[in-house]
Structure formats: C-alpha cells, structure tokens
Amino acid sequence: MKIFKKKIRESSILYQRSKGEKVLFGIVFVLFFLYAASLIFPLLWLLINSLQDRTIYEVNLALGNAFEFPSALHWENYSYAFTQLSYNGANIFMMFFNSIWYTLAYTLGGVLMSAFTGYALAKYRFKLRGFMYGVIIFTMTIPTVGTTGALFNLVYNVLHIYDSPLYVILKHLCGTGLNFLVLYGFFRNVSWSYAEAAFMDGAGHARVFFSIMLPQALPAIVTLSIVSGIAAWNDYMDVLMYLPSFPTIASGMYGVSRTLPRQGYSTVYFAALVISMLPILILFTCFSNVIMKNFAVGGLKG
C-alpha cells in the first residue's frame, strides 16, 4: 500500500516540477487566491448588510464598522425591496419584466442575425462580399463613445423610436461584433459538401441553412446566447439613454441608488441588489460547463 501511494505521489505533476517551478506555482496560486477573495468580498459584504437593520447599519457605517455581522437576520428587507423600492413608476416586478423582454430581444436579435450574416459571408461568393466584411470589421474598431451622438440623433430624430421597445429590436438585429466573428469563423470551417448533398436532394438554400448548417452551430450559438444574455441583463447605460420609461433591473437599481440618501432604504436596496443577481448566478451555475466546454483557445469549438 505504501509503495502504491509513493508511486502516485511521484507521478503527480506537482512532484515532477523543479524547485523554481514550485515556487512560481505557489506565487501564482497566492495571486489568484487574492484575486478571487477580492471578487468574493464585495458579494459577502452585500449579503451581510442586506440582512442588517437599517438603523444599526447607519450607526455602524458612521463608526467605520460597515462589515459587522448582524445580531439578528432581517429577512423582511427582501420583502420590503418588492414593496418600497421603485424607479420611474416601476417596482421590482416591472423591472424584472422589462429585463426579461430586453434580454430576449438583445440576445435573440444579436445572435441570430450574426448567424445569418456570418453564414452568408462565409459560404457565398458575391460582389462586394469582401467590402461588406471589411466594413463590419472596421466598425468594430470605432469607439462606442465616438458614435453615441450620431446614434442618438438617428434614434430620436430620424427613426423616431426613442423610448420604444422597437429600438431594442432594430438595434440588435444588426448583430454584434463578437457574435459575428465567432459564427463567421465557425461557418468558414464547416464543409460545403453537406450543402451540396442537400442541393442534390432538392433542398433550397433556406432548408440547407436551418436544417443542416444551423444545427451544427448550435453549441456555439448556445454559448454566445448565454454570454450575450448575461451582458444584456447587466446593461444599464443603453436603457438609461434610449429607454427611460422601461427601466430594467440594472438601470432601475442604478436609478434607485441615486435617491437612497433621500429615501433611506440602504439595507433594503442591498437586498434588492442580491435579488437582481440571482437570475444571472443561477444561469451561470447551470450553464458554466456548457460555456467552458464550448470555448477553446482562440474561439469556440462546435
């Protein structure tokens, strides 16, 4: 038994490292541990203070003891979050509803349109194909701040879709940079022999795409949809600028934070923040393996 354990120990990767490599490994481990702690600490602080009494929290904050554990757990802060907090006439229930349809429109529009565009540019030869690809890549290099004024003028004065859900649909039907690049590269590597066999059996271009090509890209599409959905759920600046009458949970919490000194709902606000994070935490927990399996070095694997 001792000989067997010794062989396992000697064959381990850590045992085979040199002394310098072990020191380097230890330093990297400490750095990553500190980085992880820096991410967990704010979440722990938020959870603790969401269960704190508001008066006690204000006193502790004034005394510099903002991380003191509560003597009693005030779960009523979470119920108060649904009844006392609101922004632009929308309570948390309405914010969640707005976040759901905004996330769906953001994700479905961006990913599916990127799939359509990436497939067409990757598999079909036509005039201006290279020019269109070059324009798409060039627009990705332009800073968002540089086009904000022109985009606002287009939305408000030209298209007249300011403060309308139609803005979300039209904007994200244009797709997004990362989604397009990933799906374009994916379809470039898919053999065209699948399509040729289908054409010989009488299938049309739409049938080939929806029945043959799109299912092969399903792992990449699912992964991009999850990542885009997380980004959409956390997006607040776009909603504040173009959809002020439809506050999402992200933009609503940002708006509520600006009125906290006047309303005095600090611990209730912390409870609302915890509630707002739960859908994303559940989503990532359920699909983290899907994301990690489909992501490879340099892109996605199908």
Side-chain angles (χ1 to χ4, degrees), residues 242-264:
Y242 300 103
L243 296 169
S245 299
F246 300 90
T248 61
I249 193 67
S251 65
M253 289 299 98
Y254 174 81
V256 169
S257 68
R258 300 170 62 183
T259 63
L260 278 180
R262 186 168 65 252
Q263 294 185 9

Side-chain angles (χ1 to χ4, degrees), residues 48-56 70-80 267-268 271:
I48 289 174
N49 285 304
S50 70
L51 298 171
Q52 187 74 270
D53 178 77
R54 182 176 67 85
T55 304
I56 296 178
S71 56
L73 301 181
H74 293 266
W75 295 102
E76 66 273 12
N77 289 338
Y78 286 84
S79 62
Y80 291 157
T267 55
V268 177

